[in-house]
Amino acid sequence: MKQSLKDKENRELSAYGITRREFLWLSAMTGVGFMTGCAVNPVTGQRELMLMSEAQEISIDKQNSPHQISADYGTSLDRDLSNYVSRVGQSVVKNSHRPEMPYTFHTLNAAYVNAYAFPGGTIGITRGILLTLENEGELASLIGHEAGHVSARHTSQRMTRGLIAAVLVSGATVAAGDQMGDLVAGLGGIGAGALLAGYSRNQEREADALGLEYMALSDYNPEGFLGLMDMLNDMSNKNESYVATLFSTHPMSSERYETAVKAVRSGYAEERETRPIFKERYMDHTAGLRKIGPAIKAMQDGDGMMMQKNPGNAREHYERSLKTAPEDYAGNLKMAKCLMALEKHQDANRYAQKARQIYPEEHQAKHVLGMTHLRLKNFEQALAQFDAYEQGLPGNPNTIFFQGFSLEGMGRREDAAQKYYNYLQQVNQGEYAQHAHTRLKEWGYI
Ligand SMILES: [Zn+2]
């Protein structure tokens, strides 16, 4: 019996628990257009419904990952460390199922323990997690796991199933570790966090299996994979705030742990006997990082206090951090945000300026500095910082609002109105939208 294409499509869609109407809405919202259709999963070789094409995976990655990287205080200024992580990363992904993806590796200044992958191959690894790893075999395993998510197209799968539809629409927060700080700095975030939001247990298991496969194919000792799993297992039992994001995106369970351990023990006897794990090499390249290890730990403590909305206590931890590493970009910027939360805007301004000097190419400090100027009613200087931020990292609607707010402070009503109007086209609820709307009304534009 012949069946119309539409019926077939409907059946395929309902198999994923979404109606045709929802699907069209989802397609429109994500800017993806019509059905990309079935695509072969590079890992399983099976045909699957995929909402995103490879080009779209790359483009969504390019749009979103710079915001997340900046929320994570940019990539490390420790060039030796960054280059080393990239080298290990490249050696692993060339043995993945999608070696042609434009992989990049970012050693992130953030202090919390986390690693993530965007769908086009942008992989982020925080200083916090690098500090807890003990050898190159573990690092290769971590990268292998993230490359597993990219290879098996897990973000596409989740988007196709409607699980992260809200991503590019509503402006959820980024997956950073110090939301209170981002709030006072007016950063908001533009949804990268939602894009990275939780993989399913099946996806985690698949990424583990692929991670082990890729690292072993890259001639690493699979003991490194066991080491990584032991580390994750220990951490997940501790329930500390600085690992919360890691486990909310990559769920851990005893079942996951046992499956991974079994896979190593059952298949790699010879490799485990003969291959090196490169502990010394890892220790050499992370020596600079470990030297400021106490500063990073103190940042984690401070971030934890900020998350509990206790900036007074956070300040003591950040002070401790800056004693060990006074020239640390993230340390200075975290202190600036903490002082803003304490309404010590002049002091906050000083730390934000210092952060800006330490790392002129990184964008977050521009926003934070702009915000401190705004609090001090230096509207012109605030505007200059928001303009610089918007130029370097366009796409955060909050910045447009604060450009408008600065212009309003400067008495440039028409320019302010334009910015408020632009803002309202992207965001239509919340405190800022209300302010923008009220002004446009008062000024007779609407
Ligand atoms: Zn994962």
Side-chain angles (χ1 to χ4, degrees):
M1 209 158 61
K2 216 174 162 191
Q3 199 183 21
S4 79
L5 184 64
K6 201 168 165 183
D7 281 349
K8 189 170 169 288
E9 248 177 51
N10 277 336
R11 270 196 306 129
E12 274 175 350
L13 290 172
S14 65
Y16 289 98
I18 51 176
T19 64
R20 183 173 182 82
R21 193 189 154 98
E22 281 169 340
F23 177 79
L24 291 175
W25 173 82
L26 175 64
S27 309
M29 286 299 121
T30 51
V32 167
F34 285 98
M35 169 109 60
T36 304
C38 289
V40 174
N41 185 309
V43 169
T44 60
Q46 304 281 313
R47 293 187 73 77
E48 270 182 43
L49 177 71
M50 282 281 172
L51 189 65
M52 286 196 277
S53 68
E54 188 170 301
Q56 286 157 344
E57 287 178 306
I58 293 169
S59 125
I60 282 175
D61 182 321
K62 281 208 172 116
Q63 263 172 36
N64 289 276
S65 61
H67 289 275
Q68 182 64 45
I69 290 170
S70 182
D72 285 326
Y73 303 89
T75 53
S76 174
L77 290 166
D78 181 341
R79 299 266 173 261
D80 177 60
L81 178 64
S82 283
N83 292 339
Y84 170 65
V85 169
S86 291
R87 275 201 307 279
V88 173
Q90 294 296 351
S91 78
V92 172
V93 296
K94 72 172 199 284
N95 291 306
S96 77
H97 287 87
R98 296 173 92 187
E100 75 290 351
M101 290 300 276
Y103 284 101
T104 54
F105 301 90
H106 303 265
T107 299
L108 304 163
N109 283 317
Y112 70 137
V113 173
N114 201 15
Y116 48 74
F118 279 85
T122 299
I123 292 180
I125 298 163
T126 66
R127 292 194 294 182
I129 201 164
L130 287 171
L131 208 53
T132 60
L133 300 178
E134 289 177 346
N135 58 59
E136 197 176 299
E138 293 178 3
L139 174 60
S141 304
L142 178 67
I143 291 171
H145 175 98
E146 297 302 331
H149 284 307
V150 176
S151 285
R153 308 191 66 184
H154 286 163
T155 304
S156 295
Q157 282 179 347
R158 293 182 72 64
M159 199 169 257
T160 304
R161 290 166 200 183
L163 293 167
I164 48 174
V167 172
L168 308 162
V169 193
S170 69
T173 55
V174 291
D178 51 358
Q179 285 105 339
M180 188 187 189
D182 291 340
L183 202 68
V184 294
L187 279 156
I190 60 152
L195 192 58
L196 300 172
Y199 296 111
S200 69
R201 292 197 184 276
N202 279 338
Q203 290 179 326
E204 273 311 283
R205 207 178 301 113
E206 189 175 30
D208 282 342
L210 294 170
L212 172 60
E213 182 183 334
Y214 300 159
M215 70 86 76
L217 281 170
S218 312
D219 295 331
Y220 283 103
N221 187 325
E223 284 291 326
F225 197 83
L226 284 182
L228 174 68
M229 284 296 144
D230 282 335
M231 185 276 265
L232 292 174
N233 204 34
D234 287 350
M235 276 201 174
S236 72
N237 293 330
K238 275 190 206 150
N239 206 16
E240 299 278 358
S241 63
Y242 60 87
V243 296
T245 312
L246 175 68
F247 293 117
S248 69
T249 50
H250 305 278
M252 191 65 202
S253 64
S254 54
E255 184 267 342
R256 179 183 164 194
Y257 177 74
E258 280 148 25
T259 306
V261 170
K262 215 170 115 193
V264 175
R265 299 233 159 106
S266 62
Y268 292 98
E270 199 197 321
E271 290 85 347
R272 289 170 65 202
E273 282 289 309
T274 55
R275 290 182 183 175
I277 200 141
F278 298 115
K279 185 177 173 90
E280 257 176 57
R281 198 154 80 188
Y282 188 80
M283 288 299 155
D284 283 349
H285 289 288
T286 55
L289 177 64
R290 283 179 297 111
K291 206 170 139 193
I292 57 161
I296 300 204
K297 293 261 180 235
M299 282 182 222
Q300 290 171 351
D301 294 340
D303 294 350
M305 285 296 132
M306 288 293 275
M307 270 198 268
Q308 290 173 34
K309 300 203 182 343
N310 187 349
N313 213 324
R315 183 184 183 171
E316 290 169 30
H317 294 297
Y318 292 143
E319 261 161 12
R320 195 155 52 83
S321 172
L322 287 170
K323 251 181 211 146
T324 311
E327 298 301 315
D328 195 84
Y329 173 73
N332 281 278
L333 206 45
K334 282 171 188 287
M335 181 60 115
K337 291 196 270 187
C338 174
L339 289 167
M340 282 193 77
L342 290 166
E343 306 207 8
K344 296 185 179 303
H345 300 301
Q346 196 70 57
D347 294 334
N349 181 269
R350 223 162 19 86
Y351 283 100
Q353 297 232 31
K354 181 156 184 198
R356 184 95 170 74
Q357 279 159 10
I358 292 169
Y359 200 164
E361 304 83 23
E362 214 294 300
H363 307 296
Q364 193 189 143
K366 302 172 193 171
H367 214 286
V368 177
L369 182 57
M371 215 59 189
T372 63
H373 279 309
L374 210 55
R375 294 292 186 166
L376 296 166
K377 302 202 187 316
N378 303 330
F379 295 114
E380 214 157 313
Q381 293 175 61
L383 180 64
Q385 295 303 322
F386 294 131
D387 285 350
Y389 181 92
E390 172 67 13
Q391 203 176 18
L393 191 58
N396 188 342
N398 281 12
T399 315
I400 297 172
F401 174 80
F402 288 114
Q403 286 175 314
F405 199 82
S406 307
L407 288 160
E408 183 187 338
M410 292 160 71
R412 287 169 56 183
R413 193 174 278 191
E414 204 174 317
D415 295 330
Q418 186 62 56
K419 294 289 182 189
Y420 286 156
Y421 180 77
N422 291 347
Y423 177 74
L424 287 174
Q425 285 188 311
Q426 296 177 58
V427 182
N428 54 26
Q429 46 184 299
E431 218 183 325
Y432 302 159
Q434 212 156 25
H435 177 93
H437 191 263
T438 306
R439 286 293 182 271
L440 288 179
K441 227 168 157 179
E442 276 173 13
W443 298 341
Y445 288 99
I446 48 176

